[in-house]
Amino acid sequence: MTDRTQGADGGSARATGAKGPDELRQQIEQTRSRLGDTVEELAAKADVKGRAKARAADLRDKAGAMTVQLRSSAVHAGHRAQEKATRAGHRAQEKASHAGHRAQEKASHAGHGVQDRVAQAGHTVEHSVPHSVNDAVAVCRRNPRSLMIAGAAGAVLVTAGVLLLRRGRQSRLC
């Protein structure tokens, strides 16, 4: 054995001599224990495969925890988005309903105004039409067959005129 031994701080220190066999045995046991610890540390550092497996297990655990956390966050965000969309939908529905009611009220009001104006115009026309027109209308009501024949003849004349105009345009284009 040498007179130098490793100290607690990893540096070398001078060994003190044992004062007896019991103390020497105790120093040997301490040295063996420290040497065993050192050998275990070196073996652990040399076991690359074991360290890699341990590191992979740690990373798997962290990834699993992170996955759970991300899923929880995604579910929470989905619920928040759904709540916001529902609230926005209700607000939009309320606004649309309110706008629909306002439009319906305005249309009803405008319809009544138009109805009143048409009634006034009808009364004005009724009073301003000459009696001869009123008499002609009365004759047509009494003789609807004559009115139908006159209407059919007028339709034939209008159709013939339209056809003649089309032929005239086509002949100019060619």
Side-chain angles (χ1 to χ4, degrees):
M1 187 159 152
T2 64
D3 61 348
R4 294 183 81 71
T5 182
Q6 186 176 14
D9 62 352
S12 53
R14 185 153 292 280
T16 57
K19 298 196 175 163
D22 290 333
E23 192 174 332
L24 183 60
R25 283 187 191 106
Q26 187 180 9
Q27 287 178 354
I28 291 172
E29 278 302 314
Q30 288 176 353
T31 303
R32 280 184 183 162
S33 176
R34 285 194 311 259
L35 184 60
D37 291 344
T38 305
V39 169
E40 284 180 21
E41 289 175 15
L42 288 174
K45 288 184 179 180
D47 185 17
V48 175
K49 188 175 180 181
R51 288 190 316 176
K53 284 182 180 180
R55 178 74 174 145
D58 287 346
L59 291 175
R60 262 194 307 274
D61 290 345
K62 286 181 183 178
M66 192 175 288
T67 301
V68 169
Q69 185 180 8
L70 289 174
R71 283 184 183 163
S72 174
S73 296
V75 166
H76 186 67
H79 287 303
R80 283 191 316 225
Q82 187 177 16
E83 288 171 3
K84 286 182 180 180
T86 301
R87 283 194 301 260
H90 288 305
R91 285 193 302 264
Q93 188 177 15
E94 288 173 4
K95 286 181 181 180
S97 176
H98 185 65
H101 289 302
R102 283 191 315 220
Q104 188 176 15
E105 288 173 6
K106 287 181 180 180
S108 176
H109 183 69
H112 288 301
V114 168
Q115 190 176 18
D116 290 344
R117 288 188 192 120
V118 167
Q120 288 174 354
H123 291 301
T124 303
V125 168
E126 185 179 349
H127 293 297
S128 66
V129 172
H131 289 288
S132 58
V133 173
N134 286 334
D135 293 340
V137 169
V139 169
C140 289
R141 283 187 181 162
R142 284 191 304 255
N143 299 314
R145 187 174 287 159
S146 316
L147 179 62
M148 286 177 31
I149 293 171
V156 168
L157 288 174
V158 169
T159 305
V162 168
L163 291 174
L164 287 173
L165 283 175
R166 284 188 182 173
R167 280 192 187 158
R169 285 186 187 153
Q170 287 178 352
S171 64
R172 280 186 244 154
L173 292 175
C174 294

